[in-house]
Amino acid sequence: MSSHPVPQDLPTRIQHYIDGKFVDSIDGDTFDVLEPVSNEVYVKAAAGKKADIDLAVAAATRAFQEGPWPKMLPRERSRVLHRIADIVESRDARLAELESFDSGLPITQALGQARRAAENFRFFADLIVAQADDTFKVPGRQINYVNRKPIGVAGLITPWNTPFMLESWKLGPALATGNTVVLKPAEFTPLSASLWAGIFEEAGLPQGVFNLVNGLGEDAGDALVKHPDVPLISFTGESRTGQIIFGNAAPYLKGLSMELGGKSPAIVFADADLDAAIDATIFGVFSLNGERCTAGSRILVQRDIYDEFVERYAAQAKRVKVGYPHDPETEVGSLVHPEHFAKVMGYVEIGKDEGRLVAGGGQPEGFEFGNFVAPTVFADVKPDARIFQEEIFGPVVAITPFDTDEEALELANNTKYGLAAYVWTSDLKRAHNFAQSVEAGMVWLNSNNVRDLRTPFGGVKASGLGHEGGYRSIDFYTDQQAVHITLGKVHNPTFGKQDPAAEENRPTDLEDPDPR
Ligand code: NAD
């Protein structure tokens, strides 16, 4: 194995950050963190349990009930968020270096994710000052307005693919709206998350507003989900974990946002711009090492162009540059962890029985160590194949032919997932009609996954519940209290008005009610 550089000044241990202080776990427990090129332990991280979550939630609750953050003007909070964005931007190279080292993501892509994290804060900083709420007037009778309020302590549970960026996606709107938070980052990749505390302190976020507890999902994550003082859980991760969290949160009737797994189709019709479609579908499944929830990991290709597509696609996939994560030339780095590597390699072996291997199929030449996987392409994959149905979350793609639009749609919808879909055709009518019928939370027509932060993000079926993105994130992290005000005469249906005693003394019609 060749050597690869280790970032300068790596922390010697990773701690929790609770109520403005870095702390170890109460029981002193730690877990090993590996770097994915050598799979060697490079640092130990504090392994949080229920007791640590209790402390973090207590700090966040205090900061919410007694601290200034929820009561600050949106403009004041916005300034803090912009400062956070400035700091993240100014440290993008360091963030990318650490993220790439910890996760195995190629450095150029980790840099893009660091900048996106800054952009997420800037976006919500802008949105919160532009936020307007509804007012409804019934002329002369009533005004009704929406009083938007932060909810309390938000529990944020995040995965290991693009960890820093995905954390920013939740932290940005949760903080912009005045909540306080407890973040439980993924245990495979705790390094970049440990930088938030310093960034937030420098930007002037009040003490206790941000708390971080590291640890395993079934310990720290579970305790956060089951904590009665955490009314909101925003979770991104596997569909199976989402189901468990859904069940565990049910007795507390928590607000849940679930961004889950995917097995998204890219549908290439014969009339598509083939060069663009090939470039996009290569990038769509091999970028971020294929560890991408919206990866177009099933490519459905119309039969007329199928053979040409497969041949060109396989040739290009073989040219995708696998390399060390720190190398700016690298297009596919090392998968995050040996456990995940074993899972992906398991699917590569399954695929050899289920499809025709036309590229990859193991570790790439010169990288027969660590968690490197060659971009792997299977053609002629049947819809009942496991590699067609199950999320692999690595650089592995299944290609399947189709004849008609109806068949393409049937194949596209033939999984339990429904996160994204990509359609390649030059027929506008077909593209829009396909978008209407495909079971996916997000559709890109003749486009790669390029996201406008204002649009809804989320999946249908097993890919998620609820939408985040733009105002939907603001909605998730706030209560919209309706306030009703009478303007004119009070219109009351009067129950219980007839007092029998008053009835007896009431003047009869024979008496003069007005003795003047
Ligand atoms: P995961 O579900 O294993 O873990 C995600 C997080 O949940 C981790 O922090 C983990 O510690 C925690 N967790 C695990 N068990 C828990 C429990 N019982 N209670 C509370 N928390 C628990 O997912 P992963 O392997 O880290 O991430 C990959 C998955 O994430 C893929 O399925 C991918 O598609 C999905 N993902 C989805 C999106 C999206 O927006 N839809 C984005 C990125 C990743």
Side-chain angles (χ1 to χ4, degrees):
M1 190 211 314
S2 319
S3 63
H4 69 290
V6 172
Q8 297 275 303
D9 304 322
L10 276 180
T12 48
R13 59 184 172 154
I14 293 178
Q15 295 178 288
H16 310 308
Y17 180 78
I18 298 175
D19 209 10
K21 287 174 216 68
F22 284 99
V23 291
D24 291 322
S25 285
I26 289 174
D27 64 4
D29 198 10
T30 60
F31 64 92
D32 291 342
V33 186
L34 315 183
E35 63 86 5
V37 169
S38 67
N39 283 332
E40 276 165 17
V41 177
Y42 77 91
V43 74
K44 284 183 181 294
K49 311 274 168 51
K50 183 179 177 306
D52 307 289
I53 288 286
D54 285 348
L55 282 183
V57 173
T61 305
R62 255 193 323 277
F64 187 76
Q65 290 175 349
E66 297 160 28
W69 189 249
K71 301 178 199 78
M72 277 161 71
L73 291 176
R75 170 57 76 197
E76 293 171 322
R77 285 203 298 267
S78 170
R79 284 205 182 98
V80 176
L81 264 68
H82 273 300
R83 283 201 290 273
I84 293 168
D86 291 342
I87 298 169
V88 170
E89 253 163 27
S90 70
R91 294 190 194 151
D92 57 358
R94 173 69 172 165
L95 278 162
E97 181 191 26
L98 295 180
E99 189 82 306
S100 170
F101 177 76
D102 194 31
S103 69
L105 287 176
I107 186 80
T108 50
Q109 296 170 37
L111 187 63
Q113 298 297 322
R115 291 179 182 157
R116 185 67 164 195
E119 190 55 31
N120 280 336
F121 272 93
R122 220 175 272 303
F123 175 78
F124 285 105
D126 289 342
L127 203 63
I128 201 69
V129 288
Q131 170 74 36
D133 283 305
D134 290 331
T135 306
F136 307 91
K137 192 169 179 189
V138 186
R141 296 198 178 174
Q142 210 182 28
I143 286 181
N144 311 298
Y145 68 88
V146 172
N147 181 24
R148 196 179 280 272
K149 302 193 281 189
I151 293 176
V153 180
L156 313 179
I157 303 178
T158 50
W160 48 257
N161 69 315
T162 65
F164 193 75
M165 194 286 288
L166 281 175
E167 289 150 18
S168 75
W169 183 352
K170 297 182 190 304
L171 288 165
L175 295 175
T177 44
N179 297 284
T180 60
V181 303
V182 177
L183 170 67
K184 205 306 276 173
E187 54 268 44
F188 284 177
T189 53
L191 182 58
S192 56
S194 67
L195 301 177
W196 284 120
I199 294 169
F200 290 158
E201 276 180 20
E202 216 175 307
L205 193 75
Q207 181 182 330
V209 172
F210 168 76
N211 302 274
L212 166 85
V213 178
N214 287 292
L216 307 187
E218 48 277 28
D219 297 332
D222 185 70
L224 189 55
V225 169
K226 292 177 181 165
H227 200 295
D229 298 337
V230 178
L232 286 180
I233 297 287
S234 176
F235 169 76
T236 300
E238 285 186 18
S239 300
R240 178 73 201 116
T241 316
Q243 284 176 319
I244 294 169
I245 291 179
F246 204 82
N248 287 341
Y252 305 94
L253 298 172
K254 297 192 180 210
L256 292 175
S257 171
M258 295 269 170
E259 303 290 357
L260 309 176
K263 188 77 184 178
S264 301
I267 304 99
V268 186
F269 287 94
D271 62 0
D273 172 346
L274 207 53
D275 291 342
I278 290 175
D279 278 350
T281 49
I282 289 267
F283 181 80
V285 72
F286 300 129
S287 55
L288 304 178
N289 298 342
E291 298 162 326
R292 179 173 200 148
C293 56
T294 51
S297 51
R298 293 181 296 143
I299 308 180
L300 313 176
V301 185
Q302 200 152 24
R303 190 144 349 237
D304 322 36
I305 56 161
Y306 184 74
D307 290 340
E308 183 192 352
F309 183 94
V310 171
E311 194 185 316
R312 288 181 57 185
Y313 192 91
Q316 192 159 330
K318 287 178 191 162
R319 293 195 297 270
V320 170
K321 194 170 177 335
V322 182
Y324 287 107
H326 73 271
D327 182 349
E329 299 289 307
T330 295
E331 291 169 332
V332 170
S334 168
L335 299 191
V336 68
H337 192 276
E339 270 174 35
H340 184 59
F341 171 77
K343 175 186 152 183
V344 172
M345 288 301 265
Y347 278 110
V348 169
E349 291 312 310
I350 291 168
K352 289 176 184 170
D353 292 330
E354 290 185 332
R356 175 165 59 97
L357 180 68
V358 291
Q363 291 210 287
E365 223 183 289
F367 289 92
E368 292 95 351
F369 54 87
N371 307 318
F372 294 96
V373 176
T376 297
V377 183
F378 292 104
D380 311 344
V381 178
K382 299 271 181 301
D384 59 353
R386 286 186 63 190
I387 61 165
F388 188 96
Q389 292 292 338
E390 297 173 22
E391 184 182 43
I392 300 173
F393 219 55
V396 181
V397 67
I399 309 184
T400 303
F402 70 86
D403 289 298
T404 62
D405 289 35
E406 294 70 30
E407 198 190 343
L409 183 66
E410 199 183 308
L411 285 169
N413 289 343
N414 182 359
T415 66
K416 65 175 182 173
Y417 296 107
L419 192 56
Y422 308 86
V423 183
W424 292 89
T425 174
S426 47
D427 179 339
L428 264 183
K429 255 205 253 175
R430 167 192 271 160
H432 288 290
N433 287 327
F434 203 94
Q436 170 70 28
S437 309
V438 73
E439 293 164 356
M442 295 164 286
V443 182
W444 279 270
L445 303 179
N446 295 320
S447 169
N448 217 319
N449 177 341
V450 178
R451 208 179 142 245
D452 178 332
L453 291 182
R454 295 168 298 181
T455 58
F457 187 100
V460 297
K461 295 158 69 181
S463 288
L465 201 80
H467 284 85
E468 296 195 29
Y471 287 114
R472 291 128 207 115
S473 299
I474 303 276
D475 282 348
F476 176 71
Y477 289 106
T478 53
D479 271 331
Q480 295 183 57
Q481 180 187 56
V483 181
H484 310 271
I485 311 145
T486 295
L487 288 179
K489 186 173 174 325
V490 180
H491 288 278
N492 281 337
T494 309
F495 283 12
K497 180 149 193 175
Q498 302 302 340
D499 179 349
E503 194 71 14
E504 267 171 32
N505 298 330
R506 228 170 68 176
T508 64
D509 285 350
L510 299 174
E511 289 168 352
D512 182 1
D514 182 359
R516 273 180 305 178

